[in-house]
Amino acid sequence: MEEQKDYQAGTFTINMVNSDFSGDDDIVVPVKTSDESIINRDTVLKPKDDEDNTSMLMTFHDSKPSVLVVVLTFVASISGFMFGYDTGYISSALVAIGTDFGKTLTYGEKELITSATSLGALISSIIAGLSADIVGRRPVIMSSNILFIVGSAIQCGAHSLWVMIGGRFVMGFGVGIGSLVAPLYISELAPTKYRGRLVIINCLAITGGQLIAYAIGAGLTQVNNGWRILVGLSIIPPLVQLVTFFFLPDTPRFLISKGKIDEAEKVLKKTYNSASDDLIKTKIEELNNLNKILPGNNPLQKTWNGIKEIHRVPSNFRGLIIACGLQGIQQFTGWNSLMYFSSTIFEAIGFQDSTAVSIIIAGTNFIFTIVAFFVIDRVGRRRILLIGIPGMIIMLVLCSISFHFIDITFSGSTAVIDNSDGSVSGWGIVVIVAMICFAASYAVGIGNVPWQQSELFPQSVRAVGASYATATNWAGSLVIASTFLTMLQNITPTGTFALFAAIGVVSLVFVIFCYPELSNLELEEVQQVLTGGFNIVASQKLAKAQRLSSKEIDVEKKSTGEAFIKV
Ligand SMILES: O[C@H]1[C@H](O)[C@@H](O)[C@H](O)[C@@H](O)[C@H]1O
């Protein structure tokens, strides 16, 4: 039942339609104000919950993200690039290192070098959320730059296995911090309508970084000690990010949590060009009130309370289940086994130029991340997962079947394949095609959607929630990196890919029942969706209503050529 209400917000009187998420049919519908001359039309105000008629959620409907938002997104995404480059170069470096450490590396040693970064990232992602709340998102990103630089330098000069592993471990600390804080930073700054896309810019930087690392790796295979150049180059981007961040601000949400209201106001003004001063003030008030929700006199107490809240408050806990669930799915469906070991796999199948084939896989991942960029806010996060995951399952089954006919056996540190005539069999080609299609299905959905994790949590527990989810990602990556080659040896490639496919089926069921549509919803608004259940149907309707309403605003903007009111 829709009920017209008058709401008082500052000097504005707004007529609103009440909202109710308890049933599947009721959704928030923004309506026009009674006084169109006062309220800026780039704003939508909605009641926060049913019992609380006075609290509002405010959405700025800017037609484009401001220059500052774009600059901040790109600079923050250098962390994504480092994540991609550092996890990407290892595939070709493992082949290129050859006997540079005085011996041929065994599969176990290759796994150690690879997984050291995941282990470092796992540890740092646990503490990065807490640090981001205490000292700020910006300084924490800057500290990751130092770790990247030190880690790269150690690896560049490594002449033994353990020094190399040490360097990868230190670098992993930087990767873990960057992987958590960069998307958090971006999603806190992004206007609602563009949040999905702006966070995907960071994902594009990850997949682009992996692709570039593969390409440079391929170019340097014949160069003596070429892998050291490959690693050394990774010192440049963190240096650039470190210097640039000296001149950039932290997020308004963090600044407000520290009581730096004036600074927050300045950033908000630059983030939302067309919002009036009064509206900025209302937004600050709203964020300030949300901050006070979490008890505690100092950041440590607040964090501890945040950890408790995330488990106790059902909507937070649902957010946590989704965030960790999606990150787990991303890792345990096996994509990174290709990322880290594709050269090794293709070498095993019998390809002469295995690194080139790996570039095609990384390139597909990058290109389909661009596709995700265009569809994530329009088609929606849930739908792209429901398209991508079934595609992945089919391709994994195909890989599993093909490997059965390829007949590879692993002995010690080498793979033996029955290709006496030196050519790649028809089934080998099927594996490649299936892996390319797998990469496409992965990149369009589960490769990116989990990194939208920050939107699942209210401000009070956002960093803690993002920590849990990022740690799940790196724990999964660590398990895959440290067991994949051993799994190939022990349960055969057929068994390994069948296992990934089975995990894919469970993942699909999880998404169908637990992941609501969150595109176009205000960060603070997602909590309403997660109250009382996963509310899949209600969320889809709400996301659709919000998309249509913001489209309507855009159309009106175009026709009148001016900023206008739509509440
Ligand atoms: O989103 C990224 C991306 O899909 C990368 O290709 C993958 O290596 C990472 O593990 C993942 O988190």
Side-chain angles (χ1 to χ4, degrees):
M1 245 265 298
E2 288 185 348
E3 178 199 337
Q4 288 285 333
K5 282 194 174 173
D6 272 3
Y7 282 79
Q8 199 70 39
T11 54
F12 319 130
T13 303
I14 309 150
N15 288 328
M16 304 208 64
V17 175
N18 203 4
S19 65
D20 179 4
F21 285 91
S22 54
D24 283 347
D25 295 331
D26 295 320
I27 49 173
V28 172
V29 182
V31 293
K32 296 222 171 195
T33 60
S34 56
D35 184 354
E36 301 209 348
S37 60
I38 304 178
I39 293 197
N40 181 317
R41 297 194 96 181
D42 287 326
T43 314
V44 176
L45 291 160
K46 285 168 264 132
K48 217 172 81 189
D49 58 52
D50 287 343
E51 287 78 42
D52 183 1
N53 287 350
T54 51
S55 62
M56 304 296 226
L57 288 181
M58 208 170 81
T59 305
F60 294 104
H61 273 280
D62 274 20
S63 53
K64 274 196 230 121
S66 70
V67 175
L68 181 69
V69 170
V70 174
V71 170
L72 290 173
T73 303
F74 276 92
V75 177
S77 297
I78 293 179
S79 299
F81 181 85
M82 291 310 297
F83 171 174
Y85 190 88
D86 293 342
T87 53
Y89 72 67
I90 199 62
S91 177
S92 51
L94 284 180
V95 176
I97 285 170
T99 52
D100 286 2
F101 296 149
K103 60 199 216 84
T104 305
L105 297 175
T106 65
Y107 276 172
E109 286 162 346
K110 282 184 178 187
E111 283 172 344
L112 265 181
I113 294 177
T114 309
S115 52
T117 299
S118 304
L119 180 63
L122 169 61
I123 298 170
S124 69
S125 61
I126 295 170
I127 39 180
L130 171 67
S131 323
D133 266 352
I134 297 176
V135 295
R137 284 73 171 121
R138 178 175 159 267
V140 173
I141 294 187
M142 290 166 86
S143 71
S144 74
N145 294 139
I146 314 268
L147 293 161
F148 280 133
I149 295 168
V150 174
S152 306
I154 296 175
Q155 290 170 69
C156 263
H159 286 281
S160 77
L161 176 68
W162 285 101
V163 175
M164 181 72 183
I165 292 174
R168 294 274 303 164
F169 183 64
V170 173
M171 175 183 265
F173 268 75
V175 173
I177 295 172
S179 68
L180 184 151
V181 187
L184 176 73
Y185 184 85
I186 296 171
S187 65
E188 284 195 337
L189 279 160
T192 308
K193 198 170 134 195
Y194 298 98
R195 191 175 61 239
R197 274 166 280 181
L198 291 175
V199 173
I200 288 210
I201 295 208
N202 186 56
C203 296
L204 265 171
I206 301 176
T207 54
Q210 286 173 330
L211 179 60
I212 289 173
Y214 273 36
I216 300 181
L220 292 174
T221 33
Q222 304 310 329
V223 179
N224 195 19
N225 275 324
W227 66 269
R228 293 188 199 273
I229 303 174
L230 184 63
V231 179
L233 286 173
S234 72
I235 293 178
I236 301 168
L239 261 181
V240 173
Q241 195 185 43
L242 184 64
V243 172
T244 322
F245 253 119
F246 273 109
F247 305 99
L248 295 175
D250 218 307
T251 71
R253 283 173 168 89
F254 170 74
L255 292 170
I256 291 170
S257 77
K258 293 283 149 196
K260 298 181 178 169
I261 307 291
D262 290 349
E263 256 181 78
E265 192 176 333
K266 272 191 215 143
V267 183
L268 274 173
K269 273 189 188 153
K270 285 193 200 148
T271 335
Y272 300 105
N273 286 333
S274 51
S276 71
D277 286 357
D278 283 333
L279 286 166
I280 298 274
K281 289 223 158 68
T282 315
K283 186 78 194 170
I284 289 179
E285 222 169 277
E286 178 194 301
L287 292 175
N288 214 3
N289 288 338
L290 288 167
N291 252 327
K292 288 181 196 141
I293 292 174
L294 207 57
N297 298 326
N298 58 52
L300 271 178
Q301 255 180 26
K302 275 190 179 268
T303 306
W304 175 237
N305 286 328
I307 294 173
K308 286 195 278 189
E309 287 265 301
I310 212 164
H311 295 98
R312 277 192 201 147
V313 177
S315 59
N316 291 346
F317 194 59
R318 281 186 202 102
L320 189 63
I321 292 175
I322 297 172
C324 295
L326 291 185
Q327 289 287 13
I329 293 172
Q330 185 193 74
Q331 295 304 316
F332 288 107
T333 41
W335 160 255
N336 277 326
S337 59
L338 293 192
M339 218 51 247
Y340 300 150
F341 303 111
S342 52
S343 300
T344 310
I345 300 172
F346 294 130
E347 215 178 38
I349 295 177
F351 279 90
Q352 298 299 323
D353 200 351
S354 56
T355 316
V357 187
S358 302
I359 292 178
I360 298 175
I361 303 278
T364 310
N365 188 25
F366 178 67
I367 288 167
F368 279 83
T369 306
I370 300 179
V371 175
F373 174 85
F374 286 108
V375 296
I376 190 150
D377 289 321
R378 296 200 184 110
V379 177
R381 290 113 165 96
R382 184 178 150 85
R383 238 187 274 165
I384 58 177
L385 285 183
L386 292 179
I387 296 168
I389 296 177
M392 288 165 65
I393 298 171
I394 296 170
M395 293 309 145
L396 286 168
V397 170
L398 206 55
C399 283
S400 170
I401 296 171
S402 312
F403 271 116
H404 176 74
F405 293 103
I406 290 176
D407 203 17
I408 301 181
T409 43
F410 289 91
S411 78
S413 64
T414 48
V416 184
I417 176 175
D418 182 21
N419 66 334
S420 30
D421 57 354
S423 66
V424 178
S425 70
W427 286 109
I429 305 287
V430 176
V431 168
I432 302 255
V433 174
M435 283 183 178
I436 292 172
C437 297
F438 171 73
S441 321
Y442 165 86
V444 90
I446 198 71
N448 299 296
V449 177
W451 291 116
Q452 306 286 336
Q453 59 195 19
S454 302
E455 70 187 10
L456 289 157
F457 305 103
Q459 190 177 343
S460 51
V461 295
R462 186 167 297 136
V464 173
S467 258
Y468 270 97
T470 310
T472 309
N473 177 291
W474 288 110
S477 163
L478 178 64
V479 171
I480 294 295
S482 54
T483 58
F484 178 69
L485 295 178
T486 316
M487 279 205 294
L488 291 184
Q489 282 173 308
N490 292 327
I491 60 168
T492 73
T494 297
T496 306
F497 285 93
L499 180 65
F500 290 151
I503 296 173
V505 173
V506 177
S507 308
L508 187 60
V509 174
F510 175 84
V511 172
I512 291 174
F513 291 105
C514 299
Y515 186 52
E517 184 53 70
L518 303 176
S519 45
N520 294 298
L521 304 192
E522 186 70 7
L523 277 186
E524 287 73 20
E525 195 176 28
V526 170
Q527 293 318 296
Q528 297 175 333
V529 168
L530 294 175
T531 302
F534 289 104
N535 288 317
I536 308 285
V537 180
S539 74
Q540 286 168 312
K541 289 183 180 172
L542 176 59
K544 192 171 170 198
Q546 299 293 51
R547 201 180 63 243
L548 293 178
S549 122
S550 83
K551 240 191 210 162
E552 214 181 282
I553 290 169
D554 285 347
V555 170
E556 268 189 66
K557 259 191 176 173
K558 270 188 195 138
S559 66
T560 60
E562 51 169 63
F564 61 87
I565 307 163
K566 169 85 184 175
V567 179

